[in-house]
């Protein structure tokens, strides 16, 4: 068996539970626990972001008001960006891990009617996925560019939910109707890889936000059937481990470490409804490597020595 699975961390019942997004900064690992908070922030509950050493020891915790979903490190500032309330009424908290300082930013009315989910950085640009759109068909932004002015985050459209895209396996043109923009990353080539979760598809955007932007579409399948996925990540070195949050496993959620003797750099891994698999970007076919999970969500590749 090429992959081995171990437990990296577990939630603590009634304290912090339901782990999701995972971020890496300065050798420490940050995991967002949603704590059952309402995804539109309507219950006033808070999420917990737990900072760990690489051995799983807890360093400290941060509390943010709302349901944390997106959690990323800004590579320019080395600060942690935490996005709350993916279904509506979003807020952004920027955490400086060296001082523990937290700054809260608000949004105006969202152009798509929902909240914001994930965050992706490219140079000085910041992009957000526009989740839980209010309309079907959806002609609103699916990805927005974000800029901060004072304590407010302003957004402008970067990708429309009804964009025309080239289907990767067939080369046919398709008109998108993105109903669930969710997790996203920039790949090493600078292309955005966006998961439209309930639609069971990945959207790849070349030159996002530029006039020569081009959009590609990939329908996902597992065991010859359509499937939904959450996070998709890339192995960034030959040695390391994949961390994956199994949100509803056990009493409070479990974060697993998936390792093997050597990874093929650049291989894509994705979390399906109950498994983690490799993803073929030419075909959309997912091949399971770890099965039997309850509800895998956030993922991150942690490079090793």
């Amino acid at each position: 068996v090429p992959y081995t699975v171990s437990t990296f961390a577990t939630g603590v019942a009634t304290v912090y539970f339901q782990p999701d997004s995972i971020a890496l900064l300065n050798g420490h690992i940050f995991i967002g626990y949603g704590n059952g908070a309402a995804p539109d922030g309507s219950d006033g509950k808070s999420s917990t972001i737990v900072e760990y050493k690489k051995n799983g020891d807890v360093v400290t915790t941060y509390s943010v008001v709302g349901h944390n979903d997106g959690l990323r490190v800004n590579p320019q500032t080395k600060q942690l960006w935490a996005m709350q309330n993916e279904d509506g009424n979003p807020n952004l908290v920027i955490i400086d891990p060296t001082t523990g300082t937290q700054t809260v930013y608000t949004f105006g009315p969202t152009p798509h009617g929902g909240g914001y989910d994930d965050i992706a950085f490219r140079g000085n640009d910041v992009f957000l996925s526009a989740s839980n759109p209010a309309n079907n068909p959806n002609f609103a932004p699916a990805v927005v560019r974000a800029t901060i002015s004072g304590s407010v985050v302003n957004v402008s459209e970067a990708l429309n939910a009804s964009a025309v895209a080239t289907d990767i396996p067939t080369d046919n043109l398709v008109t998108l109707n993105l109903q669930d923009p969710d997790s996203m990353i920039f790949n090493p080539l600078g292309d955005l890889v966006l998961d439209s979760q309930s639609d069971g598809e990945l959207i790849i955007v070349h030159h996002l936000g530029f006039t020569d932007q081009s959009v590609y579409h990939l329908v996902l399948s597992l065991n010859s059937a359509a499937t939904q996925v959450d996070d998709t990540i890339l192995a960034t070195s030959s040695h390391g481990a994949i961390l994956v949050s199994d949100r509803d496993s056990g009493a409070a959620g479990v974060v697993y470490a998936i390792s093997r003797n050597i990874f093929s750099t650049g291989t894509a891994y994705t979390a399906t409804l109950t498994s983690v698999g490799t993803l073929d970007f030419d075909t959309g076919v997912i091949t399971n490597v770890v099965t039997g999970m309850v509800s895998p969500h956030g993922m991150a590749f942690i490079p090793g020595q």
Side-chain angles (χ1 to χ4, degrees):
V1 180
Y3 295 89
T4 58
V5 181
S6 58
T7 297
F8 173 76
T10 58
V12 179
T14 75
V15 182
Y16 49 84
F17 49 96
Q18 293 187 329
D20 195 334
S21 295
I22 305 170
L24 176 69
L25 176 62
N26 295 334
H28 284 194
I29 293 150
F30 296 80
I31 299 175
Y33 288 82
N35 297 345
D40 63 358
S42 58
D43 57 8
K45 293 182 178 178
S46 295
S47 299
T48 306
I49 296 165
V50 182
E51 179 180 354
Y52 296 90
K53 295 180 181 177
K54 274 194 174 180
N55 65 0
D57 289 348
V58 174
V59 178
T60 190
T61 62
Y62 302 91
S63 181
V64 293
V65 175
H67 181 261
N68 174 251
D69 201 332
L71 185 66
R72 298 287 184 184
V73 171
N74 183 333
Q76 305 281 80
T77 64
K78 308 301 183 188
Q79 293 175 324
L80 199 66
W81 288 45
M83 182 67 66
Q84 282 65 244
N85 304 339
E86 68 273 25
D87 281 1
N89 310 299
N91 74 73
L92 170 70
V93 175
I94 297 181
I95 299 169
D96 185 335
T98 59
T99 62
T101 303
Q102 300 183 45
T103 308
V104 182
Y105 299 89
T106 58
F107 293 82
T110 59
H112 61 293
Y116 296 107
D117 191 302
D118 208 356
I119 308 159
F121 298 93
R122 183 190 65 197
N124 292 319
D125 289 329
V126 183
F127 298 95
L128 311 175
S129 58
S131 52
N132 193 35
N135 295 305
N136 186 2
N138 181 15
F139 299 106
V143 176
V144 297
R145 188 193 310 261
T147 56
I148 291 176
S149 176
S151 62
V152 177
V153 185
N154 299 308
V155 302
S156 58
E157 180 177 304
L159 173 70
N160 194 277
S162 64
V164 174
T166 302
D167 183 64
I168 291 174
T170 66
D171 219 29
N172 293 332
L173 293 179
V174 295
T175 300
L176 302 177
N177 177 25
L178 303 181
Q179 286 298 309
D180 194 13
D182 194 87
S183 301
M184 60 184 187
I185 58 171
F186 279 102
N187 68 18
L189 300 175
D191 295 337
L192 186 81
V193 180
L194 169 70
D195 142 40
S196 193
Q197 190 170 15
S198 66
D199 299 320
E201 57 194 29
L202 289 184
I203 308 302
I204 296 93
V205 188
H206 184 62
H207 287 171
L208 175 68
F210 293 105
T211 53
D212 62 344
Q213 171 174 296
S214 50
V215 185
Y216 301 87
H217 166 261
L218 187 64
V219 174
L220 303 172
S221 65
L222 175 67
N223 299 326
S224 301
T227 188
Q228 294 185 25
V229 303
D230 198 316
D231 269 18
T232 297
I233 61 165
L234 303 172
T236 56
S237 68
S238 58
H239 290 83
I242 298 165
L243 295 187
V244 55
S245 295
D246 197 356
R247 188 189 66 188
D248 302 318
S249 180
V254 179
V255 180
Y256 293 108
I258 302 170
S259 57
R260 62 177 300 168
N261 286 334
I262 187 165
F263 283 92
S264 177
T265 303
T267 299
Y269 292 84
T270 195
T272 78
L273 294 175
T274 59
S275 65
V276 171
T278 56
L279 168 65
D280 185 329
F281 271 102
D282 291 327
T283 63
V285 171
I286 297 163
T287 304
N288 279 335
V289 298
V290 175
T291 59
M293 294 185 176
V294 179
S295 183
H297 277 69
M299 297 176 68
F301 188 85
I302 310 300
Q305 302 303 319

